[in-house]
Amino acid sequence: MDPIVIIGSGLAGYTVAREFRKLEPAASLVVVSRDEASSYSKPMLSNALAAGKGAAQIANATAAQMAEQLKARVLAGAEAASIDTAGRVLQLGGDAIRYSKLVLALGADPISVPIDGDAAADVLQVNDLAGYARFRAAIEGRKRIALLGAGLIGCEFANDLAAAGYGVEVIDPAPRPLGRLLPEVAATRVRAALEAVGVRWHFGTAASAVSRTASGLRIALANGDEIEADVVLSAIGLRPRTQLAQRAGLKTSRGIVTDRFLQTSAPEVYALGDCAEVEGRVLPFVMPIMQAARALARTLAGAPTPVIYPAMPVVVKTPAMPAVVCPPPAMAGAWRVIEDAAGVEALYEEEAGRLTGFALVGAACVRKNALANALQPD
Ligand SMILES: Cc1cc2nc3c(=O)[nH]c(=O)nc-3n(C[C@H](O)[C@H](O)[C@H](O)COP(=O)(O)OP(=O)(O)OC[C@H]3O[C@@H](n4cnc5c(N)ncnc54)[C@H](O)[C@@H]3O)c2cc1C
C-alpha cells in the first residue's frame, strides 16, 4: 500500500500526523517540507522577546526527532512541485512519491503591498522560524522599528518590541488597531494601553516608500509624513498558498476549497490549516487547525469524520492590555458593549439576542470560558 503523504511540517501537518499515528500505529506515513521541518510553536514568534527566547529556543524538535516520534519519513528541504491526482503521484524536484492519500498543509504567504524606494526589499516579514531568525538578527543592537499593520500579529509584535525597549511606530490605513476583530470601544482601550508602553500610531495612512539614509531607513507615508527607523517589519496579513493545488486542477477560491471532511475537489486529496478554505471559511488559527487535524486523522484512518468547530476564542498576546476575540461566523448582527474602567465585554448578537461572537479586553478576559460555553458549536 502506498503511504499517506502530508505536505507541510507546520502545526497543521505535524498535528494531523501525530493524531493519525495514535489511530494507526503501523501505517506508512511521509511528511514532506520545503523548510528544515523542525517543530515549533508559531504563536511564540510574536512574544518571544518577552519570553527571553530566540529562534533556536523556539524550535522544540528537529526533523530527525519528529521522524522518530511519528515513526514517519520526514523529508526536509523537499519542495512539492506538482501533483498528478489521477495517477496519485507527488513530484518533488527530481523524485516522485506515490501516495494513497495526500494531505495539503501548505500554510499561507505573507501579503506584500507594492512599496517604492531603494530599501523596499529590506522590509521584513515573519511567518516562520527562518523569517524570525532573520528578524532577530536585523533588530540586534538597533533601536527603532516601524511596523506595517495594526492587526493581531502587528499589535502583538508592537507590544513585544516596546516591552523590550524598542521604539515602535505602527502604520495602518484603518482608523484603529484590531479593527476587524474588536468594536471601536474595545480597540480604543488596546490603542491607549500600547501607547502607554511607548507605541506610536499612524492610522489612516500607508507606507508608500522605504529608502536608505545615512543613519537607517526613512519610511514615507501616503499622508506626507515621514518616519525614521532601523528596521521595517510588515504584518499586513496572509494569503493561503493555493498555487500547487491550482496547478493540479483542484478547486480553489480564497484558499484550497474543501468540504467539512477536509476533502478537496480531487479524490483522496485533503487540505487543512492556513492554506484551506473549509466550507467557505479560512480560519488561520491554532484551535480550528487542531479540530481539523483530529477529524482528518480519523478520516485518513478509515472513519470519515466531519470537522465540527466549538467556540474558538483567540487570545491576543498584548500583555499591556490583554484581549480575547471570538469572531462571529457572519457579521449579521450588532455589538452590545458593557464597559467599566477595568475592561470591556462586547457581545455580538444576532436576532432575538442570540450570541454568535464576543470580544473581551482587560479584566473582562476572565469571562472567556463562560462566554465560549454559551456559544453553540458551529
Ligand atoms: C507571529 C504569529 C503569531 C501567531 N499567534 C497566534 C496565536 O496566538 N493564536 C492562534 O490561534 N494563532 C496564531 N497564529 C496563527 C497560527 O500560528 C497559524 O494559523 C498556524 O501556525 C498555521 O499552521 P500551518 O501548518 O497551516 O502553516 P505553516 O506553519 O505555515 O506550515 C506550512 C508548511 O508547509 C510547507 N510548504 C509550503 N509549501 C510547500 C511546498 N510546495 N512543498 C513542501 N512544503 C511546503 C512549509 O515549509 C511549512 O512547513 C500566529 C501566526 C503568526 C505568524
Side-chain angles (χ1 to χ4, degrees), residues 197-244:
V197 295
V199 173
R200 296 186 57 198
W201 304 103
H202 303 265
F203 287 117
T205 190
S208 52
V210 181
S211 317
R212 284 197 188 86
T213 65
S215 61
L217 300 172
R218 177 172 301 132
I219 300 102
L221 305 187
N223 67 2
D225 289 350
E226 287 185 340
I227 296 170
E228 303 288 328
D230 301 311
V231 174
V232 182
L233 176 64
S234 174
I236 57 174
L238 295 171
R239 184 173 292 126
R241 291 188 179 121
T242 54
Q243 304 88 330
L244 180 67

Side-chain angles (χ1 to χ4, degrees), residues 5-18 30-42 59-64 66-67 70 73-78 103-107 127-129 241 272 275 289:
V5 176
I6 299 171
I7 313 176
S9 60
L11 178 76
Y14 273 152
T15 308
V16 80
R18 205 175 280 118
V30 179
V31 178
V32 172
S33 183
R34 68 181 177 194
D35 62 25
E36 66 286 359
S38 50
S39 164
Y40 72 102
S41 162
K42 193 182 285 198
N60 51 46
T62 62
M66 290 308 292
L70 296 168
R73 279 175 72 204
V74 176
L75 306 179
V103 176
L104 307 178
L106 303 165
N127 186 37
D128 55 28
L129 212 44
R241 291 188 179 121
L272 82 165
C275 68
I289 292 175

Side-chain angles (χ1 to χ4, degrees), residues 92-161:
L92 299 172
D95 294 335
I97 306 185
R98 295 187 59 79
Y99 64 82
S100 57
K101 296 181 166 79
L102 181 68
V103 176
L104 307 178
L106 303 165
D109 285 318
I111 294 173
S112 337
V113 281
I115 291 181
D116 292 333
D118 62 1
D122 295 350
V123 174
L124 298 175
Q125 293 168 327
V126 172
N127 186 37
D128 55 28
L129 212 44
Y132 190 66
R134 285 193 292 277
F135 172 67
R136 286 294 290 267
I139 66 172
E140 181 67 38
R142 306 299 176 92
K143 293 255 174 301
R144 307 163 299 171
I145 317 293
L147 258 162
L148 314 185
L152 184 136
I153 310 274
C155 284
E156 292 185 352
F157 272 114
N159 199 152
D160 203 35
L161 287 159

Side-chain angles (χ1 to χ4, degrees), residues 281-373:
R281 290 166 77 191
V282 176
L283 295 170
F285 298 108
V286 171
M287 276 185 72
I289 292 175
M290 306 296 285
Q291 296 296 326
R294 285 188 201 115
L296 181 54
R298 284 186 213 111
T299 299
L300 295 173
T305 306
V307 59
I308 295 174
Y309 297 124
M312 297 179 293
V314 177
V315 174
V316 186
K317 304 182 296 287
T318 44
M321 181 57 74
V324 176
V325 293
C326 195
M331 297 307 276
W335 289 107
R336 181 162 65 85
V337 173
I338 306 153
E339 61 168 327
D340 62 23
V344 178
E345 177 175 325
L347 306 175
Y348 197 83
E349 293 172 342
E350 290 187 12
E351 78 293 342
R354 191 169 70 94
L355 183 73
T356 59
F358 60 85
L360 305 168
V361 164
C365 290
V366 295
R367 296 265 297 137
K368 178 179 90 167
N369 290 343
L371 288 170
N373 290 337

